[in-house]
Amino acid sequence: MPQRRTVWVGAMSAVILTCTAHAVVAQDTTQQELQELRALVRQQAATMQAMQRQLDEIESRQRAPRGRAAASAGPVAGAKAATALPAPAAQTAAADQAQQGRPRNVPAPGGEALPLPQPGHIPGPNERNVVVTQQPGNLPGRSTVQPYTSAGMTSPGASPLVPAAPVSSGADRIRLSLSGQVDRMLLYGNDGKTSAVRNVDNNNSSTRLRVVGETQINATASGGINLETELRPNSSATTTLTQNLPQPASASTFTVRQAEAYMQDIRYGGVRLGFGSTASYLTTEVDLSGTAVASYSQVADFDGGFAFRQRGAAQVPAAGGRFVLSPAGSYGPAVGAVFNFFDGLGRDNRIRYDTPRWNGFGLATSFLDGDAFDIALRYAGAFDGNQLVGAIAFADALARHHLTLTNVAGLPGAAPNLYGYAGVPTGANGTEGLATPASPGLGDVSANGSYQYDGSLSLLLANGINFTVAGGYRDVDYVDPQGRKLTPTFLFGKIGYRTTLFPEVGISAVSFDIAQNNALQFAGDHAQSYSLAFVQVVDALAMELFLDARIQTLHRTFATYDDLIAIGLGARVRF
């Protein structure tokens, strides 16, 4: 009470002085006197504001003990405190909260009063029962970088510490972080016969939405969920050059990328269960060039639906295991049917275990639905300002059926494999002329029916020069449509340079790469891609602007094809 009395006496003194000033102004005054009175009024206004702040602090200290007492009394006492607050008082408290810009000690929906946060105090990631607007980030480390990134070859849960936006969870034990990206591109293509510009979703790093929930069990253990989807209107991996133009809005592709639960401990490793990254996934995608959004080891993600055009007439495979004559100019195999990056077993329904890290090394293994399994070894390290990242993997997918030219016995729902021809060859469907489906059948270019070995390595020097290599080999248990033995292989090499052309904007990166696939579906096939890429990071917008130009060639023993030219210009924004 003495402190409050002092404040009120001061306030009354200020009012009296102000009234006196107004009375003096009413008489004849000189200019100097007016300036002195104005200074007095400004001084008294500042005094009143200081007094108001003191009154607010006194009121906060008086309310805080009652809030803590209500919270410690349990749900019943908290409920009584909530019902005891009259409606007008509740409205006043809400108005005060909106006006002052800070939370009051208002009872929570569950009946318990939330403790009033101390001025300047920011709740930690593991604090509970806090006002969500005071929580600057629920989940450090998972907001903008998805698990298992190529630059972070570590156990689950280990990723760069990036603050997450505040998200409220229905269960306060799980801290949520919401993140994602939008990646769009204008894609020009020329197949030697015609050309067009398509507006596509860049499948090098597709448009995505991610929700990650995590909770800390103790000092070393944590657990949670990972739910990631991708939304691809006009995916660059399947959009054709001219056949399906224009593409309807219904052509958008919605896919689940990750849907898993996990537990992990830095001493014992981590276990993940559900649909998500297999142990061997991303083992051919290690890339420190800074241009992966424009060009990386998977050529087919850039323009996988574009088709090579035949230069002359040729016998080509058709349904039913037979070959038919196809005239010059026919749509041949799509890019996605002759290029593949042998990237482990991809994302699938599996249970996965990752060991703890030892001196930069980490081991992972997973068992998949369908009796396939894999194992991968990863490394990430730095020395003298240089960075080195690598990965190797083995996958056993023999138990999974490779889709052949005819329907697979025991898989009645599996369509026949037309080996990636974007247009049905003349006569294959009993009609003359060329048929042009909405999207090409790429054929089975996966590791199904094989033992697969793959890996990649990337070195970033302190001066910005970088080198990346990747490769893979499959030991298959099937033959090509002509009964010839297949030995599918993949090779990729990239050289690049990272610098800051515009220091106030962000990092700039340029690279040149070559990719080659041999005998992916036909013995004797040689498909090559030559790509030049540039990426400019715009830090202020969390944006990457990119440009890529490439030439793709295909050499096949029983047909010849024109080269493909593709140029992409686009932007990726992460949030």
Side-chain angles (χ1 to χ4, degrees), residues 329-380:
S330 298
Y331 290 96
V335 170
V338 295
F339 286 100
N340 186 267
F341 60 162
F342 291 28
D343 194 25
L345 295 179
R347 299 183 306 276
D348 212 316
N349 295 288
R350 89 293 188 234
I351 181 170
R352 166 175 170 165
Y353 170 72
D354 286 71
T355 67
R357 287 174 291 166
W358 301 299
N359 298 318
F361 288 94
L363 193 65
T365 184
S366 56
F367 182 77
L368 285 65
D369 188 30
D371 294 333
F373 74 91
D374 59 1
I375 186 169
L377 176 67
R378 293 178 167 88
Y379 172 79

Side-chain angles (χ1 to χ4, degrees), residues 201-224:
D201 195 88
N202 179 19
N203 207 62
N204 282 352
S205 181
S206 57
T207 296
R208 302 168 188 177
L209 183 63
R210 185 182 309 108
V211 177
V212 176
E214 191 165 21
T215 186
Q216 196 73 23
I217 302 172
N218 53 43
T220 61
S222 62

Side-chain angles (χ1 to χ4, degrees), residues 28-267:
D28 293 335
T29 58
T30 64
Q31 186 66 26
Q32 181 177 358
E33 290 173 335
L34 283 174
Q35 293 178 354
E36 293 176 353
L37 288 173
R38 288 193 185 97
L40 177 62
V41 171
R42 286 195 296 267
Q43 180 181 358
Q44 298 307 317
T47 302
M48 292 295 292
Q49 292 176 358
M51 292 177 179
Q52 179 63 47
R53 287 194 295 268
Q54 294 180 20
L55 287 172
D56 289 342
E57 292 176 0
I58 294 171
E59 181 182 10
S60 298
R61 286 194 294 270
Q62 290 177 344
R63 288 189 178 186
R66 290 196 296 271
R68 287 192 291 268
S72 61
V76 176
K80 290 181 180 179
T83 56
L85 185 65
Q91 295 172 1
T92 302
D96 289 344
Q97 177 178 348
Q99 181 178 1
Q100 298 298 329
R102 62 177 184 273
R104 297 292 187 182
N105 187 31
V106 180
E112 298 184 7
L114 296 178
L116 186 72
Q118 296 298 320
H121 171 67
I122 299 178
N126 293 320
E127 289 192 35
R128 297 175 181 165
N129 294 324
V130 295
V131 181
V132 71
T133 55
Q134 293 293 305
Q135 188 85 18
N138 295 337
L139 190 58
R142 293 297 189 104
S143 61
T144 62
V145 182
Q146 70 269 32
Y148 319 119
T149 59
S150 57
M153 297 301 175
T154 59
S155 302
S159 54
L161 294 178
V162 181
V167 181
S168 180
S169 170
D172 80 321
R173 296 182 183 276
I174 300 294
R175 302 298 178 186
L176 294 182
S177 108
L178 177 66
S179 62
Q181 63 188 43
V182 174
D183 192 349
R184 298 295 299 179
M185 176 173 63
L186 293 176
L187 181 60
Y188 166 83
N190 187 318
D191 60 11
K193 300 292 189 296
T194 187
S195 63
V197 176
R198 305 305 307 267
N199 191 321
V200 298
D201 195 88
N202 179 19
N203 207 62
N204 282 352
S205 181
S206 57
T207 296
R208 302 168 188 177
L209 183 63
R210 185 182 309 108
V211 177
V212 176
E214 191 165 21
T215 186
Q216 196 73 23
I217 302 172
N218 53 43
T220 61
S222 62
I225 61 97
N226 179 25
L227 180 61
E228 183 181 48
T229 63
E230 59 184 351
L231 304 92
R232 299 176 291 174
N234 257 24
S235 172
S236 61
T238 56
T239 297
T240 65
L241 183 58
T242 56
Q243 297 101 300
N244 58 356
L245 184 68
Q247 191 83 323
S250 59
S252 298
T253 304
F254 180 84
T255 309
V256 175
R257 290 177 55 86
Q258 312 272 352
E260 61 181 359
Y262 67 90
M263 291 184 63
Q264 59 191 11
D265 191 297
I266 60 176
R267 300 168 298 176

Side-chain angles (χ1 to χ4, degrees), residues 434-505:
L434 297 177
T436 55
S439 61
L442 300 181
D444 189 355
V445 294
S446 71
N448 290 344
S450 74
Y451 293 124
Q452 179 175 277
Y453 309 83
D454 66 80
S456 56
L457 185 71
S458 189
L459 172 65
L460 173 61
L461 301 178
N463 59 13
I465 298 176
N466 54 82
F467 305 92
T468 301
V469 293
Y473 163 79
R474 288 176 183 164
D475 182 5
V476 303
D477 68 349
Y478 53 87
V479 294
D480 79 349
Q482 296 175 319
R484 297 177 297 178
K485 179 177 174 56
L486 280 174
T487 306
T489 60
F490 160 69
L491 293 172
F492 176 82
K494 176 189 282 191
I495 182 172
Y497 179 62
R498 294 173 58 168
T499 185
T500 50
L501 294 177
F502 313 100
E504 297 182 357
V505 178

